[in-house]
Amino acid sequence: AAMEASRRKGLSGILSSLSLLCVVLDLQIDGVLGASHVEIEHHLEMGRKLLAAGQLAEALSHYHSAVEGDSKNYLTYYKRAAVFLAMGKSKSALPDLSKAIELKPDFLAARLQRGNIFLKQGSTQEAREDFEAVLRGNPGHEEARAQLAHADELDALVEEAHHAHQRGDYHGTVRVLERVIELSPWDPESRELRADCYMKLGETRKAIQDLAPTTRLRNDNRAAFLQLSRLHYSLGEHEDSLRGVRPASLWADPASPVSLPSSQQVKKLSKQLDSAEQLISESRYPEAIEKYESVMKTEPNVPFYTTRAKERICHCLSRNRQAPEAIDICSEAHQRDPRNILILRDRAEAFILNEEYEKAVEDYQEAREMDGDNQEIREGLERAQKLLKQSRKRDYYKILGVHRNANKQEIIKAYRKLAQQWHPDNFQSEEEKKQAEKKFIDIASAKEVLTDPEMRQKFDAGEDPLDPENQQGGGGHGHGDWPFEFNPFRSGNFHFKFHYN
């Protein structure tokens, strides 16, 4: 009996404790719920203020907290959707608008917003359903009626664009798609179709501009990344081509309809191009030519790289004063890229080296017509014109019979040989002596100009430093009547041997 009484007393104590615990828990739960409601209101108020202040990320954080605190409040979803839209994240706004409509089917503002998103995405059927729902609730709603008309217009335009594309009218398709994309800028299909038209029309840059947004408009748009990589590669933008591919495995996907080189090949090509340009910057032209020849072997199937290599080889040969070879390769490069003024410049310089001044002037004139503001082209044309004018008078290189790139030793050697041959003491009659004197003076003048770096530079730039017309203050000396130091026969005494120096 004593034991039973003790057991009952203990049980009573336990029940009493449990009852007290329940009371405490109830009080705590009530307190938590009350605090949660206050916090939700605080988050909504802070979200509103931050949104008005343009602090979108901070506003979004508060709306996240409000939604987590009360998942049954349609307004919290709608307000968070408004922040997503303000941030340009329509995909994130769409589920919140749909949840708000689920919680309150007659919420017309959410219906209108969702319909606008569907229309911009090109989902005309879903958009039409939302606009019609708004009009049922408010028949006089002007925006909903206008957007419904746009949905009908969009359907008709998309159909027209596809018909034009099927019959090969790519220009017509592009014209129609301009309005389509204006109405539905978030529709990847319309941009992909227009990009296809641009590719067929050979407007690669415009195709890239249309395809780039589709990588964001579609989830994991692998085909667009591959196509973008191929287009960048075809333009010679090998680094952009590599960056355009997210996973490396995309480069070698046998199931892909897009044919691309391996990433290793692109990296190799990029290294060759960078190395070649570095060699050019160091004036190591023969080595740079070898690198560009390797570029053509690495990528023989993309015209851009072959054209680029020939353009740069043309430049190297011209700078290395290999005139005949430069003219040949520059002419081939010009055929491939006739609007490239750098090729025309380099070929003009090669023509100058080859003493074909008229052709040099023609190339520089053609380049100037393409870019009249290019100072280098203008200066090159002026120099070529001076050289042409000069060549019709007296050419010191021709007088000595040396090439324009002859060094000082070659010039002196040619001078000595000709001076010995044409010295007037070698001739008997007065007529022969006069002719020899004139010839000898020309030879001496040529040697004087071409062995003096400053005078030779002036002559190479198209100016005759011994021409009286070019002397400051004018001058009265005619051809063959030079300043005293250049005419050893001015006194008329020809009876001495000339000392060659």
Side-chain angles (χ1 to χ4, degrees), residues 190-217:
S190 299
R191 291 184 179 275
E192 288 165 353
L193 184 62
R194 190 167 69 175
D196 181 73
C197 292
Y198 282 138
M199 284 186 281
K200 287 183 169 64
L201 293 170
E203 299 185 58
T204 305
R205 187 67 62 193
K206 290 183 178 180
I208 289 174
Q209 291 173 353
D210 264 341
L211 279 176
T214 69
T215 61
R216 300 184 298 274
L217 294 172

PDB file of all heavy atoms in Angstrom, residues 190-217:
ATOM      1  N   SER A 190      13.830  33.630 -81.991  1.00  0.00           N
ATOM      2  CA  SER A 190      13.844  34.700 -82.998  1.00  0.00           C
ATOM      3  C   SER A 190      15.266  35.184 -83.253  1.00  0.00           C
ATOM      4  O   SER A 190      15.659  35.431 -84.401  1.00  0.00           O
ATOM      5  CB  SER A 190      12.970  35.870 -82.542  1.00  0.00           C
ATOM      6  OG  SER A 190      11.633  35.458 -82.386  1.00  0.00           O
ATOM      7  N   ARG A 191      16.051  35.318 -82.189  1.00  0.00           N
ATOM      8  CA  ARG A 191      17.442  35.757 -82.357  1.00  0.00           C
ATOM      9  C   ARG A 191      18.265  34.687 -83.074  1.00  0.00           C
ATOM     10  O   ARG A 191      19.132  35.006 -83.894  1.00  0.00           O
ATOM     11  CB  ARG A 191      18.051  36.077 -80.994  1.00  0.00           C
ATOM     12  CG  ARG A 191      17.449  37.321 -80.357  1.00  0.00           C
ATOM     13  CD  ARG A 191      18.143  37.666 -79.061  1.00  0.00           C
ATOM     14  NE  ARG A 191      17.586  38.870 -78.458  1.00  0.00           N
ATOM     15  CZ  ARG A 191      17.937  40.112 -78.754  1.00  0.00           C
ATOM     16  NH1 ARG A 191      18.896  40.311 -79.658  1.00  0.00           N
ATOM     17  NH2 ARG A 191      17.388  41.147 -78.162  1.00  0.00           N
ATOM     18  N   GLU A 192      18.013  33.434 -82.775  1.00  0.00           N
ATOM     19  CA  GLU A 192      18.740  32.354 -83.443  1.00  0.00           C
ATOM     20  C   GLU A 192      18.404  32.312 -84.923  1.00  0.00           C
ATOM     21  O   GLU A 192      19.277  32.071 -85.768  1.00  0.00           O
ATOM     22  CB  GLU A 192      18.418  31.026 -82.772  1.00  0.00           C
ATOM     23  CG  GLU A 192      19.059  30.881 -81.386  1.00  0.00           C
ATOM     24  CD  GLU A 192      18.462  29.760 -80.567  1.00  0.00           C
ATOM     25  OE1 GLU A 192      17.453  29.164 -81.002  1.00  0.00           O
ATOM     26  OE2 GLU A 192      18.993  29.490 -79.478  1.00  0.00           O
ATOM     27  N   LEU A 193      17.130  32.559 -85.251  1.00  0.00           N
ATOM     28  CA  LEU A 193      16.729  32.565 -86.655  1.00  0.00           C
ATOM     29  C   LEU A 193      17.377  33.731 -87.395  1.00  0.00           C
ATOM     30  O   LEU A 193      17.865  33.575 -88.522  1.00  0.00           O
ATOM     31  CB  LEU A 193      15.200  32.656 -86.758  1.00  0.00           C
ATOM     32  CG  LEU A 193      14.619  32.584 -88.171  1.00  0.00           C
ATOM     33  CD1 LEU A 193      14.953  31.244 -88.819  1.00  0.00           C
ATOM     34  CD2 LEU A 193      13.100  32.797 -88.144  1.00  0.00           C
ATOM     35  N   ARG A 194      17.404  34.896 -86.749  1.00  0.00           N
ATOM     36  CA  ARG A 194      18.037  36.044 -87.408  1.00  0.00           C
ATOM     37  C   ARG A 194      19.542  35.829 -87.536  1.00  0.00           C
ATOM     38  O   ARG A 194      20.152  36.218 -88.537  1.00  0.00           O
ATOM     39  CB  ARG A 194      17.743  37.336 -86.648  1.00  0.00           C
ATOM     40  CG  ARG A 194      18.162  38.581 -87.429  1.00  0.00           C
ATOM     41  CD  ARG A 194      17.608  39.861 -86.841  1.00  0.00           C
ATOM     42  NE  ARG A 194      18.198  40.191 -85.548  1.00  0.00           N
ATOM     43  CZ  ARG A 194      17.934  41.325 -84.894  1.00  0.00           C
ATOM     44  NH1 ARG A 194      17.112  42.215 -85.419  1.00  0.00           N
ATOM     45  NH2 ARG A 194      18.489  41.568 -83.723  1.00  0.00           N
ATOM     46  N   ALA A 195      20.159  35.213 -86.536  1.00  0.00           N
ATOM     47  CA  ALA A 195      21.595  34.913 -86.618  1.00  0.00           C
ATOM     48  C   ALA A 195      21.879  33.986 -87.786  1.00  0.00           C
ATOM     49  O   ALA A 195      22.875  34.148 -88.502  1.00  0.00           O
ATOM     50  CB  ALA A 195      22.069  34.285 -85.311  1.00  0.00           C
ATOM     51  N   ASP A 196      20.992  33.011 -88.014  1.00  0.00           N
ATOM     52  CA  ASP A 196      21.165  32.102 -89.144  1.00  0.00           C
ATOM     53  C   ASP A 196      21.101  32.872 -90.459  1.00  0.00           C
ATOM     54  O   ASP A 196      21.878  32.606 -91.386  1.00  0.00           O
ATOM     55  CB  ASP A 196      20.078  31.026 -89.109  1.00  0.00           C
ATOM     56  CG  ASP A 196      20.209  30.030 -90.248  1.00  0.00           C
ATOM     57  OD1 ASP A 196      21.138  29.204 -90.205  1.00  0.00           O
ATOM     58  OD2 ASP A 196      19.405  30.099 -91.197  1.00  0.00           O
ATOM     59  N   CYS A 197      20.189  33.837 -90.546  1.00  0.00           N
ATOM     60  CA  CYS A 197      20.099  34.669 -91.762  1.00  0.00           C
ATOM     61  C   CYS A 197      21.378  35.466 -91.964  1.00  0.00           C
ATOM     62  O   CYS A 197      21.909  35.542 -93.082  1.00  0.00           O
ATOM     63  CB  CYS A 197      18.901  35.614 -91.666  1.00  0.00           C
ATOM     64  SG  CYS A 197      17.290  34.797 -91.721  1.00  0.00           S
ATOM     65  N   TYR A 198      21.879  36.053 -90.896  1.00  0.00           N
ATOM     66  CA  TYR A 198      23.106  36.848 -90.993  1.00  0.00           C
ATOM     67  C   TYR A 198      24.284  35.979 -91.435  1.00  0.00           C
ATOM     68  O   TYR A 198      25.131  36.416 -92.227  1.00  0.00           O
ATOM     69  CB  TYR A 198      23.418  37.515 -89.660  1.00  0.00           C
ATOM     70  CG  TYR A 198      22.593  38.746 -89.375  1.00  0.00           C
ATOM     71  CD1 TYR A 198      22.058  38.977 -88.102  1.00  0.00           C
ATOM     72  CD2 TYR A 198      22.360  39.697 -90.362  1.00  0.00           C
ATOM     73  CE1 TYR A 198      21.313  40.117 -87.836  1.00  0.00           C
ATOM     74  CE2 TYR A 198      21.607  40.831 -90.103  1.00  0.00           C
ATOM     75  CZ  TYR A 198      21.087  41.040 -88.835  1.00  0.00           C
ATOM     76  OH  TYR A 198      20.343  42.163 -88.579  1.00  0.00           O
ATOM     77  N   MET A 199      24.342  34.758 -90.937  1.00  0.00           N
ATOM     78  CA  MET A 199      25.432  33.864 -91.345  1.00  0.00           C
ATOM     79  C   MET A 199      25.336  33.543 -92.831  1.00  0.00           C
ATOM     80  O   MET A 199      26.343  33.527 -93.538  1.00  0.00           O
ATOM     81  CB  MET A 199      25.404  32.585 -90.502  1.00  0.00           C
ATOM     82  CG  MET A 199      25.949  32.773 -89.092  1.00  0.00           C
ATOM     83  SD  MET A 199      26.084  31.234 -88.158  1.00  0.00           S
ATOM     84  CE  MET A 199      24.392  30.977 -87.659  1.00  0.00           C
ATOM     85  N   LYS A 200      24.139  33.309 -93.306  1.00  0.00           N
ATOM     86  CA  LYS A 200      23.955  33.011 -94.728  1.00  0.00           C
ATOM     87  C   LYS A 200      24.240  34.227 -95.594  1.00  0.00           C
ATOM     88  O   LYS A 200      24.618  34.095 -96.758  1.00  0.00           O
ATOM     89  CB  LYS A 200      22.542  32.482 -94.967  1.00  0.00           C
ATOM     90  CG  LYS A 200      22.329  31.059 -94.451  1.00  0.00           C
ATOM     91  CD  LYS A 200      20.938  30.549 -94.787  1.00  0.00           C
ATOM     92  CE  LYS A 200      20.815  29.050 -94.519  1.00  0.00           C
ATOM     93  NZ  LYS A 200      20.979  28.706 -93.105  1.00  0.00           N
ATOM     94  N   LEU A 201      24.058  35.421 -95.031  1.00  0.00           N
ATOM     95  CA  LEU A 201      24.341  36.653 -95.763  1.00  0.00           C
ATOM     96  C   LEU A 201      25.798  37.078 -95.618  1.00  0.00           C
ATOM     97  O   LEU A 201      26.215  38.090 -96.192  1.00  0.00           O
ATOM     98  CB  LEU A 201      23.427  37.779 -95.263  1.00  0.00           C
ATOM     99  CG  LEU A 201      21.926  37.619 -95.575  1.00  0.00           C
ATOM    100  CD1 LEU A 201      21.110  38.664 -94.825  1.00  0.00           C
ATOM    101  CD2 LEU A 201      21.665  37.716 -97.075  1.00  0.00           C
ATOM    102  N   GLY A 202      26.562  36.317 -94.846  1.00  0.00           N
ATOM    103  CA  GLY A 202      27.979  36.619 -94.663  1.00  0.00           C
ATOM    104  C   GLY A 202      28.253  37.734 -93.669  1.00  0.00           C
ATOM    105  O   GLY A 202      29.356  38.281 -93.631  1.00  0.00           O
ATOM    106  N   GLU A 203      27.265  38.088 -92.842  1.00  0.00           N
ATOM    107  CA  GLU A 203      27.442  39.156 -91.851  1.00  0.00           C
ATOM    108  C   GLU A 203      27.696  38.512 -90.488  1.00  0.00           C
ATOM    109  O   GLU A 203      26.839  38.490 -89.602  1.00  0.00           O
ATOM    110  CB  GLU A 203      26.217  40.066 -91.821  1.00  0.00           C
ATOM    111  CG  GLU A 203      25.955  40.759 -93.160  1.00  0.00           C
ATOM    112  CD  GLU A 203      24.816  41.755 -93.089  1.00  0.00           C
ATOM    113  OE1 GLU A 203      24.885  42.684 -92.271  1.00  0.00           O
ATOM    114  OE2 GLU A 203      23.848  41.587 -93.853  1.00  0.00           O
ATOM    115  N   THR A 204      28.924  38.018 -90.343  1.00  0.00           N
ATOM    116  CA  THR A 204      29.279  37.236 -89.166  1.00  0.00           C
ATOM    117  C   THR A 204      29.176  38.035 -87.879  1.00  0.00           C
ATOM    118  O   THR A 204      28.716  37.528 -86.854  1.00  0.00           O
ATOM    119  CB  THR A 204      30.709  36.677 -89.320  1.00  0.00           C
ATOM    120  OG1 THR A 204      30.787  35.949 -90.546  1.00  0.00           O
ATOM    121  CG2 THR A 204      31.071  35.768 -88.170  1.00  0.00           C
ATOM    122  N   ARG A 205      29.616  39.279 -87.907  1.00  0.00           N
ATOM    123  CA  ARG A 205      29.600  40.094 -86.692  1.00  0.00           C
ATOM    124  C   ARG A 205      28.178  40.271 -86.167  1.00  0.00           C
ATOM    125  O   ARG A 205      27.930  40.199 -84.954  1.00  0.00           O
ATOM    126  CB  ARG A 205      30.231  41.443 -86.987  1.00  0.00           C
ATOM    127  CG  ARG A 205      30.426  42.320 -85.763  1.00  0.00           C
ATOM    128  CD  ARG A 205      31.446  41.766 -84.807  1.00  0.00           C
ATOM    129  NE  ARG A 205      32.758  41.658 -85.398  1.00  0.00           N
ATOM    130  CZ  ARG A 205      33.764  40.990 -84.861  1.00  0.00           C
ATOM    131  NH1 ARG A 205      33.589  40.360 -83.715  1.00  0.00           N
ATOM    132  NH2 ARG A 205      34.936  40.926 -85.451  1.00  0.00           N
ATOM    133  N   LYS A 206      27.216  40.494 -87.059  1.00  0.00           N
ATOM    134  CA  LYS A 206      25.825  40.645 -86.633  1.00  0.00           C
ATOM    135  C   LYS A 206      25.271  39.330 -86.096  1.00  0.00           C
ATOM    136  O   LYS A 206      24.458  39.328 -85.164  1.00  0.00           O
ATOM    137  CB  LYS A 206      24.977  41.151 -87.796  1.00  0.00           C
ATOM    138  CG  LYS A 206      25.259  42.591 -88.174  1.00  0.00           C
ATOM    139  CD  LYS A 206      24.330  43.056 -89.282  1.00  0.00           C
ATOM    140  CE  LYS A 206      24.595  44.523 -89.635  1.00  0.00           C
ATOM    141  NZ  LYS A 206      23.687  45.000 -90.718  1.00  0.00           N
ATOM    142  N   ALA A 207      25.707  38.220 -86.683  1.00  0.00           N
ATOM    143  CA  ALA A 207      25.261  36.913 -86.183  1.00  0.00           C
ATOM    144  C   ALA A 207      25.732  36.710 -84.744  1.00  0.00           C
ATOM    145  O   ALA A 207      24.987  36.217 -83.896  1.00  0.00           O
ATOM    146  CB  ALA A 207      25.795  35.803 -87.081  1.00  0.00           C
ATOM    147  N   ILE A 208      26.956  37.122 -84.460  1.00  0.00           N
ATOM    148  CA  ILE A 208      27.492  37.011 -83.097  1.00  0.00           C
ATOM    149  C   ILE A 208      26.664  37.855 -82.133  1.00  0.00           C
ATOM    150  O   ILE A 208      26.338  37.426 -81.021  1.00  0.00           O
ATOM    151  CB  ILE A 208      28.970  37.429 -83.076  1.00  0.00           C
ATOM    152  CG1 ILE A 208      29.828  36.371 -83.780  1.00  0.00           C
ATOM    153  CG2 ILE A 208      29.465  37.645 -81.648  1.00  0.00           C
ATOM    154  CD1 ILE A 208      31.283  36.752 -83.932  1.00  0.00           C
ATOM    155  N   GLN A 209      26.309  39.065 -82.560  1.00  0.00           N
ATOM    156  CA  GLN A 209      25.534  39.951 -81.696  1.00  0.00           C
ATOM    157  C   GLN A 209      24.168  39.370 -81.356  1.00  0.00           C
ATOM    158  O   GLN A 209      23.644  39.618 -80.265  1.00  0.00           O
ATOM    159  CB  GLN A 209      25.370  41.312 -82.379  1.00  0.00           C
ATOM    160  CG  GLN A 209      26.664  42.109 -82.474  1.00  0.00           C
ATOM    161  CD  GLN A 209      26.518  43.369 -83.301  1.00  0.00           C
ATOM    162  OE1 GLN A 209      25.480  43.607 -83.937  1.00  0.00           O
ATOM    163  NE2 GLN A 209      27.562  44.197 -83.322  1.00  0.00           N
ATOM    164  N   ASP A 210      23.591  38.591 -82.263  1.00  0.00           N
ATOM    165  CA  ASP A 210      22.297  37.963 -81.971  1.00  0.00           C
ATOM    166  C   ASP A 210      22.441  36.698 -81.145  1.00  0.00           C
ATOM    167  O   ASP A 210      21.601  36.405 -80.287  1.00  0.00           O
ATOM    168  CB  ASP A 210      21.565  37.636 -83.278  1.00  0.00           C
ATOM    169  CG  ASP A 210      20.568  38.710 -83.671  1.00  0.00           C
ATOM    170  OD1 ASP A 210      20.189  39.501 -82.786  1.00  0.00           O
ATOM    171  OD2 ASP A 210      20.170  38.773 -84.834  1.00  0.00           O
ATOM    172  N   LEU A 211      23.502  35.942 -81.393  1.00  0.00           N
ATOM    173  CA  LEU A 211      23.669  34.679 -80.678  1.00  0.00           C
ATOM    174  C   LEU A 211      24.106  34.867 -79.231  1.00  0.00           C
ATOM    175  O   LEU A 211      23.732  34.074 -78.354  1.00  0.00           O
ATOM    176  CB  LEU A 211      24.683  33.786 -81.400  1.00  0.00           C
ATOM    177  CG  LEU A 211      24.173  32.989 -82.596  1.00  0.00           C
ATOM    178  CD1 LEU A 211      25.317  32.236 -83.244  1.00  0.00           C
ATOM    179  CD2 LEU A 211      23.079  32.012 -82.164  1.00  0.00           C
ATOM    180  N   ALA A 212      24.900  35.882 -78.966  1.00  0.00           N
ATOM    181  CA  ALA A 212      25.440  36.070 -77.613  1.00  0.00           C
ATOM    182  C   ALA A 212      24.343  36.119 -76.540  1.00  0.00           C
ATOM    183  O   ALA A 212      24.467  35.444 -75.511  1.00  0.00           O
ATOM    184  CB  ALA A 212      26.308  37.326 -77.570  1.00  0.00           C
ATOM    185  N   PRO A 213      23.240  36.877 -76.737  1.00  0.00           N
ATOM    186  CA  PRO A 213      22.205  36.897 -75.692  1.00  0.00           C
ATOM    187  C   PRO A 213      21.515  35.553 -75.491  1.00  0.00           C
ATOM    188  O   PRO A 213      21.005  35.271 -74.400  1.00  0.00           O
ATOM    189  CB  PRO A 213      21.204  37.946 -76.200  1.00  0.00           C
ATOM    190  CG  PRO A 213      21.950  38.755 -77.195  1.00  0.00           C
ATOM    191  CD  PRO A 213      22.931  37.819 -77.822  1.00  0.00           C
ATOM    192  N   THR A 214      21.485  34.709 -76.517  1.00  0.00           N
ATOM    193  CA  THR A 214      20.775  33.426 -76.377  1.00  0.00           C
ATOM    194  C   THR A 214      21.472  32.483 -75.407  1.00  0.00           C
ATOM    195  O   THR A 214      20.857  31.552 -74.906  1.00  0.00           O
ATOM    196  CB  THR A 214      20.628  32.726 -77.744  1.00  0.00           C
ATOM    197  OG1 THR A 214      21.912  32.277 -78.210  1.00  0.00           O
ATOM    198  CG2 THR A 214      20.016  33.652 -78.773  1.00  0.00           C
ATOM    199  N   THR A 215      22.769  32.718 -75.137  1.00  0.00           N
ATOM    200  CA  THR A 215      23.464  31.883 -74.154  1.00  0.00           C
ATOM    201  C   THR A 215      22.929  32.138 -72.757  1.00  0.00           C
ATOM    202  O   THR A 215      23.078  31.291 -71.865  1.00  0.00           O
ATOM    203  CB  THR A 215      24.973  32.146 -74.176  1.00  0.00           C
ATOM    204  OG1 THR A 215      25.226  33.526 -73.848  1.00  0.00           O
ATOM    205  CG2 THR A 215      25.550  31.847 -75.548  1.00  0.00           C
ATOM    206  N   ARG A 216      22.282  33.298 -72.561  1.00  0.00           N
ATOM    207  CA  ARG A 216      21.665  33.603 -71.264  1.00  0.00           C
ATOM    208  C   ARG A 216      20.168  33.348 -71.273  1.00  0.00           C
ATOM    209  O   ARG A 216      19.578  33.080 -70.222  1.00  0.00           O
ATOM    210  CB  ARG A 216      21.926  35.063 -70.906  1.00  0.00           C
ATOM    211  CG  ARG A 216      23.400  35.417 -70.794  1.00  0.00           C
ATOM    212  CD  ARG A 216      23.602  36.855 -70.334  1.00  0.00           C
ATOM    213  NE  ARG A 216      23.061  37.812 -71.276  1.00  0.00           N
ATOM    214  CZ  ARG A 216      23.714  38.290 -72.334  1.00  0.00           C
ATOM    215  NH1 ARG A 216      24.952  37.872 -72.592  1.00  0.00           N
ATOM    216  NH2 ARG A 216      23.156  39.167 -73.140  1.00  0.00           N
ATOM    217  N   LEU A 217      19.556  33.453 -72.453  1.00  0.00           N
ATOM    218  CA  LEU A 217      18.105  33.282 -72.537  1.00  0.00           C
ATOM    219  C   LEU A 217      17.687  31.819 -72.462  1.00  0.00           C
ATOM    220  O   LEU A 217      16.553  31.506 -72.113  1.00  0.00           O
ATOM    221  CB  LEU A 217      17.587  33.901 -73.835  1.00  0.00           C
ATOM    222  CG  LEU A 217      17.728  35.435 -73.938  1.00  0.00           C
ATOM    223  CD1 LEU A 217      17.358  35.914 -75.329  1.00  0.00           C
ATOM    224  CD2 LEU A 217      16.866  36.116 -72.880  1.00  0.00           C
TER     225      LEU A 217
END
